[in-house]
Amino acid sequence: MAESVRQAIEQRVRVFEAAFNQGDMAALAALYTEDAALMPPDSNTITGRPAIQQFWQSVQDAGMRHIVMSTQQVESSGELATEVATADLTAEAGDGTTSTIPLKYVVVWRREADGQWRLAVDIWNSCPAV
Amino acid sequence: MAESVRQAIEQRVRVFEAAFNQGDMAALAALYTEDAALMPPDSNTITGRPAIQQFWQSVQDAGMRHIVMSTQQVESSGELATEVATADLTAEAGDGTTSTIPLKYVVVWRREADGQWRLAVDIWNSCPAV
């Protein structure tokens, strides 16, 4: 059971990556619950899908268009699960050079009435530069 | 039931504040699970009580000796709960002037075999300067 929750969440993480990397911010926002809380560094908490979509669009507009996420740990109980993970966010400059920002994050996942796991809380911060 | 979980966690938050504000980093570390993950900004993940105690000691040594925490939201299922919250961390300089850093955080709480809720995952980041 716990293993199947982890598998379900890792599958959602792959969908998140794909939406982000394809630049489909509406699809990305739809992975969150309607009342989700996004907690970016140096920002107040951002609530709800329209504002979350706008936030991720601003990240893409700043040139950060590729993400790779790596789940480290999932704990679950009933319709609630927590994911501890790392991510690498990559920006490509106009001249084709890239820079990658290593992040770590915690997502609170909620399994909603339709059986789908969605991000209810999403918080991250920086790792030391490598 | 959900309300009593929130009350139990808010009580633990008060104990956390008291330990921090009294400078008792051993008591603070004891509020975490043995395998807890502490995820400070600009740091790799710190695992386990001895390393967590050392981290918080370093925060105190840097002059940040007063914390006020404010729980915004608690979700729980069985022995797992998540807390979304804000905190104000205050440093006092040698001349008595203070500066306060506003933070937001997510804690994953786990109710252990002895019935006590402990911090299993603790991640935070900065808010905009006021």
PDB file of all heavy atoms in Angstrom, chain A residues 56-91:
ATOM      1  N   TRP A  56       4.489  30.146 -11.872  1.00  0.00           N
ATOM      2  CA  TRP A  56       5.365  29.270 -12.670  1.00  0.00           C
ATOM      3  C   TRP A  56       5.634  29.878 -14.041  1.00  0.00           C
ATOM      4  O   TRP A  56       6.704  29.696 -14.614  1.00  0.00           O
ATOM      5  CB  TRP A  56       4.770  27.865 -12.765  1.00  0.00           C
ATOM      6  CG  TRP A  56       4.909  27.077 -11.484  1.00  0.00           C
ATOM      7  CD1 TRP A  56       3.905  26.514 -10.744  1.00  0.00           C
ATOM      8  CD2 TRP A  56       6.134  26.743 -10.792  1.00  0.00           C
ATOM      9  NE1 TRP A  56       4.417  25.871  -9.638  1.00  0.00           N
ATOM     10  CE2 TRP A  56       5.786  25.998  -9.646  1.00  0.00           C
ATOM     11  CE3 TRP A  56       7.489  27.025 -11.029  1.00  0.00           C
ATOM     12  CZ2 TRP A  56       6.740  25.509  -8.743  1.00  0.00           C
ATOM     13  CZ3 TRP A  56       8.442  26.540 -10.128  1.00  0.00           C
ATOM     14  CH2 TRP A  56       8.065  25.802  -9.013  1.00  0.00           C
ATOM     15  N   GLN A  57       4.655  30.619 -14.557  1.00  0.00           N
ATOM     16  CA  GLN A  57       4.887  31.308 -15.824  1.00  0.00           C
ATOM     17  C   GLN A  57       6.018  32.331 -15.675  1.00  0.00           C
ATOM     18  O   GLN A  57       6.866  32.468 -16.561  1.00  0.00           O
ATOM     19  CB  GLN A  57       3.595  32.004 -16.299  1.00  0.00           C
ATOM     20  CG  GLN A  57       3.713  32.592 -17.703  1.00  0.00           C
ATOM     21  CD  GLN A  57       4.004  31.518 -18.755  1.00  0.00           C
ATOM     22  OE1 GLN A  57       3.257  30.551 -18.888  1.00  0.00           O
ATOM     23  NE2 GLN A  57       5.097  31.670 -19.495  1.00  0.00           N
ATOM     24  N   SER A  58       6.044  33.011 -14.520  1.00  0.00           N
ATOM     25  CA  SER A  58       7.093  34.013 -14.303  1.00  0.00           C
ATOM     26  C   SER A  58       8.468  33.346 -14.201  1.00  0.00           C
ATOM     27  O   SER A  58       9.479  33.938 -14.599  1.00  0.00           O
ATOM     28  CB  SER A  58       6.790  34.855 -13.055  1.00  0.00           C
ATOM     29  OG  SER A  58       7.054  34.121 -11.883  1.00  0.00           O
ATOM     30  N   VAL A  59       8.503  32.130 -13.667  1.00  0.00           N
ATOM     31  CA  VAL A  59       9.764  31.374 -13.605  1.00  0.00           C
ATOM     32  C   VAL A  59      10.235  31.043 -15.018  1.00  0.00           C
ATOM     33  O   VAL A  59      11.403  31.226 -15.367  1.00  0.00           O
ATOM     34  CB  VAL A  59       9.578  30.090 -12.765  1.00  0.00           C
ATOM     35  CG1 VAL A  59      10.794  29.167 -12.889  1.00  0.00           C
ATOM     36  CG2 VAL A  59       9.326  30.448 -11.305  1.00  0.00           C
ATOM     37  N   GLN A  60       9.288  30.578 -15.847  1.00  0.00           N
ATOM     38  CA  GLN A  60       9.629  30.260 -17.239  1.00  0.00           C
ATOM     39  C   GLN A  60      10.075  31.521 -17.981  1.00  0.00           C
ATOM     40  O   GLN A  60      11.044  31.501 -18.736  1.00  0.00           O
ATOM     41  CB  GLN A  60       8.407  29.653 -17.939  1.00  0.00           C
ATOM     42  CG  GLN A  60       8.018  28.287 -17.390  1.00  0.00           C
ATOM     43  CD  GLN A  60       8.252  27.157 -18.374  1.00  0.00           C
ATOM     44  OE1 GLN A  60       8.195  27.355 -19.577  1.00  0.00           O
ATOM     45  NE2 GLN A  60       8.535  25.968 -17.856  1.00  0.00           N
ATOM     46  N   ASP A  61       9.358  32.610 -17.732  1.00  0.00           N
ATOM     47  CA  ASP A  61       9.697  33.865 -18.411  1.00  0.00           C
ATOM     48  C   ASP A  61      11.095  34.343 -18.016  1.00  0.00           C
ATOM     49  O   ASP A  61      11.749  35.061 -18.777  1.00  0.00           O
ATOM     50  CB  ASP A  61       8.658  34.951 -18.090  1.00  0.00           C
ATOM     51  CG  ASP A  61       7.297  34.641 -18.707  1.00  0.00           C
ATOM     52  OD1 ASP A  61       7.220  33.721 -19.556  1.00  0.00           O
ATOM     53  OD2 ASP A  61       6.308  35.297 -18.328  1.00  0.00           O
ATOM     54  N   ALA A  62      11.528  33.948 -16.817  1.00  0.00           N
ATOM     55  CA  ALA A  62      12.874  34.319 -16.369  1.00  0.00           C
ATOM     56  C   ALA A  62      13.935  33.379 -16.962  1.00  0.00           C
ATOM     57  O   ALA A  62      15.112  33.491 -16.626  1.00  0.00           O
ATOM     58  CB  ALA A  62      12.936  34.301 -14.843  1.00  0.00           C
ATOM     59  N   GLY A  63      13.496  32.455 -17.824  1.00  0.00           N
ATOM     60  CA  GLY A  63      14.454  31.615 -18.544  1.00  0.00           C
ATOM     61  C   GLY A  63      14.647  30.225 -17.964  1.00  0.00           C
ATOM     62  O   GLY A  63      15.368  29.404 -18.525  1.00  0.00           O
ATOM     63  N   MET A  64      13.997  29.959 -16.824  1.00  0.00           N
ATOM     64  CA  MET A  64      14.152  28.638 -16.195  1.00  0.00           C
ATOM     65  C   MET A  64      13.085  27.713 -16.764  1.00  0.00           C
ATOM     66  O   MET A  64      11.929  27.772 -16.368  1.00  0.00           O
ATOM     67  CB  MET A  64      14.055  28.768 -14.677  1.00  0.00           C
ATOM     68  CG  MET A  64      15.349  29.365 -14.088  1.00  0.00           C
ATOM     69  SD  MET A  64      15.191  29.904 -12.376  1.00  0.00           S
ATOM     70  CE  MET A  64      14.471  31.529 -12.641  1.00  0.00           C
ATOM     71  N   ARG A  65      13.493  26.874 -17.714  1.00  0.00           N
ATOM     72  CA  ARG A  65      12.512  26.126 -18.499  1.00  0.00           C
ATOM     73  C   ARG A  65      12.691  24.626 -18.423  1.00  0.00           C
ATOM     74  O   ARG A  65      11.985  23.889 -19.114  1.00  0.00           O
ATOM     75  CB  ARG A  65      12.591  26.577 -19.971  1.00  0.00           C
ATOM     76  CG  ARG A  65      12.258  28.061 -20.106  1.00  0.00           C
ATOM     77  CD  ARG A  65      11.609  28.412 -21.420  1.00  0.00           C
ATOM     78  NE  ARG A  65      11.291  29.842 -21.404  1.00  0.00           N
ATOM     79  CZ  ARG A  65      11.892  30.765 -22.155  1.00  0.00           C
ATOM     80  NH1 ARG A  65      12.810  30.414 -23.033  1.00  0.00           N
ATOM     81  NH2 ARG A  65      11.554  32.043 -22.067  1.00  0.00           N
ATOM     82  N   HIS A  66      13.627  24.171 -17.575  1.00  0.00           N
ATOM     83  CA  HIS A  66      13.812  22.721 -17.490  1.00  0.00           C
ATOM     84  C   HIS A  66      13.983  22.315 -16.034  1.00  0.00           C
ATOM     85  O   HIS A  66      14.790  22.894 -15.315  1.00  0.00           O
ATOM     86  CB  HIS A  66      15.032  22.281 -18.307  1.00  0.00           C
ATOM     87  CG  HIS A  66      15.121  20.792 -18.455  1.00  0.00           C
ATOM     88  ND1 HIS A  66      14.325  20.086 -19.319  1.00  0.00           N
ATOM     89  CD2 HIS A  66      15.877  19.864 -17.813  1.00  0.00           C
ATOM     90  CE1 HIS A  66      14.601  18.784 -19.219  1.00  0.00           C
ATOM     91  NE2 HIS A  66      15.538  18.630 -18.308  1.00  0.00           N
ATOM     92  N   ILE A  67      13.211  21.309 -15.633  1.00  0.00           N
ATOM     93  CA  ILE A  67      13.307  20.825 -14.255  1.00  0.00           C
ATOM     94  C   ILE A  67      13.448  19.307 -14.249  1.00  0.00           C
ATOM     95  O   ILE A  67      12.866  18.607 -15.084  1.00  0.00           O
ATOM     96  CB  ILE A  67      12.086  21.279 -13.410  1.00  0.00           C
ATOM     97  CG1 ILE A  67      12.384  21.166 -11.909  1.00  0.00           C
ATOM     98  CG2 ILE A  67      10.812  20.511 -13.792  1.00  0.00           C
ATOM     99  CD1 ILE A  67      11.416  21.943 -11.022  1.00  0.00           C
ATOM    100  N   VAL A  68      14.279  18.831 -13.331  1.00  0.00           N
ATOM    101  CA  VAL A  68      14.404  17.392 -13.065  1.00  0.00           C
ATOM    102  C   VAL A  68      14.169  17.216 -11.577  1.00  0.00           C
ATOM    103  O   VAL A  68      14.824  17.874 -10.764  1.00  0.00           O
ATOM    104  CB  VAL A  68      15.805  16.861 -13.441  1.00  0.00           C
ATOM    105  CG1 VAL A  68      15.928  15.377 -13.081  1.00  0.00           C
ATOM    106  CG2 VAL A  68      16.088  17.084 -14.916  1.00  0.00           C
ATOM    107  N   MET A  69      13.215  16.365 -11.212  1.00  0.00           N
ATOM    108  CA  MET A  69      12.856  16.179  -9.809  1.00  0.00           C
ATOM    109  C   MET A  69      13.188  14.748  -9.371  1.00  0.00           C
ATOM    110  O   MET A  69      13.056  13.809 -10.160  1.00  0.00           O
ATOM    111  CB  MET A  69      11.362  16.462  -9.631  1.00  0.00           C
ATOM    112  CG  MET A  69      11.020  17.922  -9.940  1.00  0.00           C
ATOM    113  SD  MET A  69       9.351  18.126 -10.599  1.00  0.00           S
ATOM    114  CE  MET A  69       8.413  18.150  -9.063  1.00  0.00           C
ATOM    115  N   SER A  70      13.603  14.632  -8.125  1.00  0.00           N
ATOM    116  CA  SER A  70      14.033  13.327  -7.628  1.00  0.00           C
ATOM    117  C   SER A  70      13.460  13.089  -6.226  1.00  0.00           C
ATOM    118  O   SER A  70      13.892  13.692  -5.254  1.00  0.00           O
ATOM    119  CB  SER A  70      15.567  13.316  -7.593  1.00  0.00           C
ATOM    120  OG  SER A  70      16.020  12.114  -7.037  1.00  0.00           O
ATOM    121  N   THR A  71      12.490  12.209  -6.153  1.00  0.00           N
ATOM    122  CA  THR A  71      11.821  11.911  -4.882  1.00  0.00           C
ATOM    123  C   THR A  71      12.765  11.128  -3.967  1.00  0.00           C
ATOM    124  O   THR A  71      13.342  10.133  -4.385  1.00  0.00           O
ATOM    125  CB  THR A  71      10.546  11.084  -5.147  1.00  0.00           C
ATOM    126  OG1 THR A  71       9.702  11.823  -6.026  1.00  0.00           O
ATOM    127  CG2 THR A  71       9.805  10.769  -3.854  1.00  0.00           C
ATOM    128  N   GLN A  72      12.896  11.616  -2.727  1.00  0.00           N
ATOM    129  CA  GLN A  72      13.772  10.931  -1.775  1.00  0.00           C
ATOM    130  C   GLN A  72      12.979  10.061  -0.824  1.00  0.00           C
ATOM    131  O   GLN A  72      13.427   8.985  -0.428  1.00  0.00           O
ATOM    132  CB  GLN A  72      14.551  11.964  -0.935  1.00  0.00           C
ATOM    133  CG  GLN A  72      15.279  13.023  -1.735  1.00  0.00           C
ATOM    134  CD  GLN A  72      16.425  12.469  -2.547  1.00  0.00           C
ATOM    135  OE1 GLN A  72      17.161  11.633  -2.053  1.00  0.00           O
ATOM    136  NE2 GLN A  72      16.567  12.885  -3.790  1.00  0.00           N
ATOM    137  N   GLN A  73      11.804  10.534  -0.443  1.00  0.00           N
ATOM    138  CA  GLN A  73      11.086   9.876   0.666  1.00  0.00           C
ATOM    139  C   GLN A  73       9.616  10.242   0.568  1.00  0.00           C
ATOM    140  O   GLN A  73       9.270  11.396   0.326  1.00  0.00           O
ATOM    141  CB  GLN A  73      11.674  10.425   1.969  1.00  0.00           C
ATOM    142  CG  GLN A  73      11.166   9.827   3.247  1.00  0.00           C
ATOM    143  CD  GLN A  73      11.584  10.687   4.442  1.00  0.00           C
ATOM    144  OE1 GLN A  73      12.705  11.178   4.520  1.00  0.00           O
ATOM    145  NE2 GLN A  73      10.661  10.920   5.352  1.00  0.00           N
ATOM    146  N   VAL A  74       8.758   9.254   0.732  1.00  0.00           N
ATOM    147  CA  VAL A  74       7.312   9.489   0.776  1.00  0.00           C
ATOM    148  C   VAL A  74       6.757   8.830   2.029  1.00  0.00           C
ATOM    149  O   VAL A  74       7.075   7.677   2.325  1.00  0.00           O
ATOM    150  CB  VAL A  74       6.599   8.907  -0.477  1.00  0.00           C
ATOM    151  CG1 VAL A  74       5.086   9.009  -0.337  1.00  0.00           C
ATOM    152  CG2 VAL A  74       7.060   9.627  -1.737  1.00  0.00           C
ATOM    153  N   GLU A  75       5.954   9.600   2.767  1.00  0.00           N
ATOM    154  CA  GLU A  75       5.202   9.013   3.888  1.00  0.00           C
ATOM    155  C   GLU A  75       3.737   9.260   3.606  1.00  0.00           C
ATOM    156  O   GLU A  75       3.378  10.332   3.117  1.00  0.00           O
ATOM    157  CB  GLU A  75       5.561   9.682   5.222  1.00  0.00           C
ATOM    158  CG  GLU A  75       6.913   9.287   5.754  1.00  0.00           C
ATOM    159  CD  GLU A  75       7.060   9.650   7.233  1.00  0.00           C
ATOM    160  OE1 GLU A  75       6.323   9.093   8.079  1.00  0.00           O
ATOM    161  OE2 GLU A  75       7.899  10.506   7.527  1.00  0.00           O
ATOM    162  N   SER A  76       2.888   8.296   3.920  1.00  0.00           N
ATOM    163  CA  SER A  76       1.475   8.511   3.653  1.00  0.00           C
ATOM    164  C   SER A  76       0.604   7.890   4.726  1.00  0.00           C
ATOM    165  O   SER A  76       1.009   6.962   5.434  1.00  0.00           O
ATOM    166  CB  SER A  76       1.092   7.947   2.285  1.00  0.00           C
ATOM    167  OG  SER A  76       1.144   6.538   2.307  1.00  0.00           O
ATOM    168  N   SER A  77      -0.585   8.458   4.839  1.00  0.00           N
ATOM    169  CA  SER A  77      -1.615   7.938   5.727  1.00  0.00           C
ATOM    170  C   SER A  77      -2.942   8.365   5.135  1.00  0.00           C
ATOM    171  O   SER A  77      -3.209   9.568   5.009  1.00  0.00           O
ATOM    172  CB  SER A  77      -1.430   8.505   7.137  1.00  0.00           C
ATOM    173  OG  SER A  77      -2.500   8.101   7.964  1.00  0.00           O
ATOM    174  N   GLY A  78      -3.741   7.386   4.725  1.00  0.00           N
ATOM    175  CA  GLY A  78      -5.032   7.721   4.137  1.00  0.00           C
ATOM    176  C   GLY A  78      -4.867   8.585   2.909  1.00  0.00           C
ATOM    177  O   GLY A  78      -4.115   8.237   1.991  1.00  0.00           O
ATOM    178  N   GLU A  79      -5.543   9.730   2.913  1.00  0.00           N
ATOM    179  CA  GLU A  79      -5.564  10.600   1.728  1.00  0.00           C
ATOM    180  C   GLU A  79      -4.476  11.669   1.776  1.00  0.00           C
ATOM    181  O   GLU A  79      -4.498  12.615   0.993  1.00  0.00           O
ATOM    182  CB  GLU A  79      -6.943  11.271   1.596  1.00  0.00           C
ATOM    183  CG  GLU A  79      -8.138  10.351   1.824  1.00  0.00           C
ATOM    184  CD  GLU A  79      -8.043   9.066   1.014  1.00  0.00           C
ATOM    185  OE1 GLU A  79      -7.774   9.156  -0.194  1.00  0.00           O
ATOM    186  OE2 GLU A  79      -8.226   7.971   1.606  1.00  0.00           O
ATOM    187  N   LEU A  80      -3.557  11.526   2.713  1.00  0.00           N
ATOM    188  CA  LEU A  80      -2.505  12.523   2.921  1.00  0.00           C
ATOM    189  C   LEU A  80      -1.147  11.861   2.702  1.00  0.00           C
ATOM    190  O   LEU A  80      -0.916  10.755   3.176  1.00  0.00           O
ATOM    191  CB  LEU A  80      -2.606  13.044   4.356  1.00  0.00           C
ATOM    192  CG  LEU A  80      -1.737  14.211   4.789  1.00  0.00           C
ATOM    193  CD1 LEU A  80      -2.132  15.489   4.050  1.00  0.00           C
ATOM    194  CD2 LEU A  80      -1.869  14.427   6.307  1.00  0.00           C
ATOM    195  N   ALA A  81      -0.275  12.525   1.969  1.00  0.00           N
ATOM    196  CA  ALA A  81       1.087  12.007   1.793  1.00  0.00           C
ATOM    197  C   ALA A  81       2.058  13.167   1.772  1.00  0.00           C
ATOM    198  O   ALA A  81       1.703  14.287   1.379  1.00  0.00           O
ATOM    199  CB  ALA A  81       1.201  11.197   0.501  1.00  0.00           C
ATOM    200  N   THR A  82       3.283  12.911   2.211  1.00  0.00           N
ATOM    201  CA  THR A  82       4.316  13.938   2.177  1.00  0.00           C
ATOM    202  C   THR A  82       5.495  13.402   1.384  1.00  0.00           C
ATOM    203  O   THR A  82       5.858  12.233   1.491  1.00  0.00           O
ATOM    204  CB  THR A  82       4.780  14.318   3.594  1.00  0.00           C
ATOM    205  OG1 THR A  82       5.299  13.158   4.248  1.00  0.00           O
ATOM    206  CG2 THR A  82       3.616  14.862   4.408  1.00  0.00           C
ATOM    207  N   GLU A  83       6.048  14.267   0.577  1.00  0.00           N
ATOM    208  CA  GLU A  83       7.190  13.911  -0.271  1.00  0.00           C
ATOM    209  C   GLU A  83       8.364  14.822   0.061  1.00  0.00           C
ATOM    210  O   GLU A  83       8.218  16.046   0.062  1.00  0.00           O
ATOM    211  CB  GLU A  83       6.806  14.082  -1.755  1.00  0.00           C
ATOM    212  CG  GLU A  83       7.948  13.767  -2.712  1.00  0.00           C
ATOM    213  CD  GLU A  83       7.740  14.370  -4.105  1.00  0.00           C
ATOM    214  OE1 GLU A  83       6.771  15.113  -4.308  1.00  0.00           O
ATOM    215  OE2 GLU A  83       8.589  14.102  -4.979  1.00  0.00           O
ATOM    216  N   VAL A  84       9.511  14.236   0.333  1.00  0.00           N
ATOM    217  CA  VAL A  84      10.763  14.974   0.498  1.00  0.00           C
ATOM    218  C   VAL A  84      11.595  14.685  -0.740  1.00  0.00           C
ATOM    219  O   VAL A  84      11.752  13.519  -1.124  1.00  0.00           O
ATOM    220  CB  VAL A  84      11.509  14.524   1.766  1.00  0.00           C
ATOM    221  CG1 VAL A  84      12.880  15.187   1.855  1.00  0.00           C
ATOM    222  CG2 VAL A  84      10.681  14.827   3.001  1.00  0.00           C
ATOM    223  N   ALA A  85      12.115  15.725  -1.369  1.00  0.00           N
ATOM    224  CA  ALA A  85      12.729  15.525  -2.682  1.00  0.00           C
ATOM    225  C   ALA A  85      13.749  16.600  -2.991  1.00  0.00           C
ATOM    226  O   ALA A  85      13.863  17.599  -2.265  1.00  0.00           O
ATOM    227  CB  ALA A  85      11.645  15.522  -3.750  1.00  0.00           C
ATOM    228  N   THR A  86      14.463  16.397  -4.080  1.00  0.00           N
ATOM    229  CA  THR A  86      15.342  17.423  -4.616  1.00  0.00           C
ATOM    230  C   THR A  86      14.944  17.699  -6.062  1.00  0.00           C
ATOM    231  O   THR A  86      14.241  16.898  -6.687  1.00  0.00           O
ATOM    232  CB  THR A  86      16.820  16.977  -4.574  1.00  0.00           C
ATOM    233  OG1 THR A  86      16.952  15.762  -5.312  1.00  0.00           O
ATOM    234  CG2 THR A  86      17.292  16.753  -3.151  1.00  0.00           C
ATOM    235  N   ALA A  87      15.377  18.844  -6.561  1.00  0.00           N
ATOM    236  CA  ALA A  87      15.082  19.210  -7.942  1.00  0.00           C
ATOM    237  C   ALA A  87      16.245  20.032  -8.489  1.00  0.00           C
ATOM    238  O   ALA A  87      16.934  20.730  -7.730  1.00  0.00           O
ATOM    239  CB  ALA A  87      13.791  20.012  -8.022  1.00  0.00           C
ATOM    240  N   ASP A  88      16.449  19.930  -9.768  1.00  0.00           N
ATOM    241  CA  ASP A  88      17.419  20.783 -10.461  1.00  0.00           C
ATOM    242  C   ASP A  88      16.665  21.608 -11.485  1.00  0.00           C
ATOM    243  O   ASP A  88      15.999  21.065 -12.372  1.00  0.00           O
ATOM    244  CB  ASP A  88      18.480  19.932 -11.172  1.00  0.00           C
ATOM    245  CG  ASP A  88      19.513  19.383 -10.215  1.00  0.00           C
ATOM    246  OD1 ASP A  88      19.927  20.131  -9.298  1.00  0.00           O
ATOM    247  OD2 ASP A  88      19.904  18.220 -10.370  1.00  0.00           O
ATOM    248  N   LEU A  89      16.775  22.909 -11.340  1.00  0.00           N
ATOM    249  CA  LEU A  89      16.085  23.840 -12.232  1.00  0.00           C
ATOM    250  C   LEU A  89      17.150  24.488 -13.115  1.00  0.00           C
ATOM    251  O   LEU A  89      18.118  25.051 -12.599  1.00  0.00           O
ATOM    252  CB  LEU A  89      15.371  24.890 -11.374  1.00  0.00           C
ATOM    253  CG  LEU A  89      14.378  25.834 -12.028  1.00  0.00           C
ATOM    254  CD1 LEU A  89      13.259  25.100 -12.747  1.00  0.00           C
ATOM    255  CD2 LEU A  89      13.787  26.758 -10.952  1.00  0.00           C
ATOM    256  N   THR A  90      16.959  24.376 -14.425  1.00  0.00           N
ATOM    257  CA  THR A  90      18.004  24.832 -15.349  1.00  0.00           C
ATOM    258  C   THR A  90      17.517  25.996 -16.199  1.00  0.00           C
ATOM    259  O   THR A  90      16.410  25.960 -16.745  1.00  0.00           O
ATOM    260  CB  THR A  90      18.474  23.675 -16.253  1.00  0.00           C
ATOM    261  OG1 THR A  90      19.014  22.649 -15.422  1.00  0.00           O
ATOM    262  CG2 THR A  90      19.551  24.129 -17.231  1.00  0.00           C
ATOM    263  N   ALA A  91      18.362  27.004 -16.268  1.00  0.00           N
ATOM    264  CA  ALA A  91      18.091  28.171 -17.104  1.00  0.00           C
ATOM    265  C   ALA A  91      19.040  28.157 -18.287  1.00  0.00           C
ATOM    266  O   ALA A  91      20.216  27.807 -18.143  1.00  0.00           O
ATOM    267  CB  ALA A  91      18.295  29.448 -16.303  1.00  0.00           C
TER     268      ALA A  91
END
